[in-house]
Amino acid sequence: MQLESLKMFCDVVETGSFSRAAQLNHVTQSAVSQQIRALENRYEQKLLSRSARQVTPTPAGERLFRGCKEILARFAEVEQEIREQATEIQGATTVSTIYSVGLHELAAVQKQLLKTHPKVNMRLNYRRNDQVYDDVILGAAEIGIVAYPQPRAGVDILPFRDDKLAVVCAPNHPFASKAKVSITALSGVPFIAFDREAPTRKALDRLFREKNIDINPVMEMDNVETIKRAVEMGLGVAILPLATAHAEIKNSSLVAKPFAEGPVSRPIGLLIRKGKYLDRASGAVLEAFKQAALIPNED
């Protein structure tokens, strides 16, 4: 039994037509019929039900069809792997990422990728946290990046790094003169928060409840950039990943203070669709992430 026979059988099932399957395989309709007959003889039962209008699989044919599709798909992947091994790695990989990481923390990944695989292009899609999961599960992205990764059906999670969080305020705010800021000092202070559905907001809300701290959110935003602008204007303070505010701290438009209670961080994870074959370009991007994870974030 040859793969060509299995492909013809699948084409007949999918098109419902011997003649259309013959066209797809560039053979005569008689040749397709012979291949189907040989399969039916092999399994000693009917695999297709023929009517005047359409060809449909029998129960046995339906089972064979599902198995053949898996075999053909895996064979195509193996062929692709073999072809790729003979060539330089190149191509494009789509990465869906939350804004805060995509805008501020992927320079090391890009640098590593350019160094090792200059012909591989990493395309970034900036998405909300839940949308990143959807992109990976539905195949719209090969790799996803989220904060506080949570187990979800159809997704494998790989740890990337931990983001150090800090209290961020304007230079003229009373916190700016302190060496460290206690979490309890945030009680009643005008606070610029992430929106309620953001994983970072949910994690901070849990922290506040544990400490019995009454936070006063005067604004809720879904984008770290707009939060920084509001803090710069003196509308309140915020808790942000330190990596997202390096430029403003360097320019003295924002001040960041560590927590008096000790380091607070948020985990960042990489998402891969469970069981998905990553081509060599995507594998190169994933390896660049792993290498970049070994490089500490600037503090």
Side-chain angles (χ1 to χ4, degrees), residues 150-189:
Q150 298 295 319
R152 189 173 297 191
V155 171
D156 288 325
I157 299 172
L158 304 176
F160 178 42
R161 65 173 14 142
D162 287 340
D163 273 349
K164 184 177 290 186
L165 300 180
V167 178
V168 177
C169 63
N172 59 354
H173 192 278
F175 286 170
S177 60
K178 297 179 178 294
K180 297 181 179 180
V181 175
S182 172
I183 296 175
T184 58
L186 297 173
S187 182
V189 174

Side-chain angles (χ1 to χ4, degrees), residues 133-245:
Y133 284 92
D134 291 340
D135 283 353
V136 171
I137 292 171
L138 297 175
E142 284 73 39
I143 299 171
I145 309 174
V146 295
Y148 299 95
Q150 298 295 319
R152 189 173 297 191
V155 171
D156 288 325
I157 299 172
L158 304 176
F160 178 42
R161 65 173 14 142
D162 287 340
D163 273 349
K164 184 177 290 186
L165 300 180
V167 178
V168 177
C169 63
N172 59 354
H173 192 278
F175 286 170
S177 60
K178 297 179 178 294
K180 297 181 179 180
V181 175
S182 172
I183 296 175
T184 58
L186 297 173
S187 182
V189 174
F191 191 75
I192 312 297
F194 286 98
D195 76 68
R196 295 176 186 272
E197 296 305 313
T200 302
R201 168 68 182 275
K202 292 178 180 179
L204 290 175
D205 283 348
R206 286 194 296 270
L207 177 62
F208 296 145
R209 286 195 298 270
E210 291 171 1
K211 302 290 185 180
N212 294 317
I213 300 171
D214 183 21
I215 290 299
N216 177 28
V218 293
M219 302 180 74
E220 297 179 345
M221 300 176 176
D222 65 354
N223 189 305
V224 68
E225 297 304 304
T226 53
I227 291 177
K228 289 189 295 183
R229 300 294 84 80
V231 174
E232 284 176 328
M233 294 170 63
L235 301 178
V237 303
I239 296 178
L240 296 176
L242 191 56
T244 67

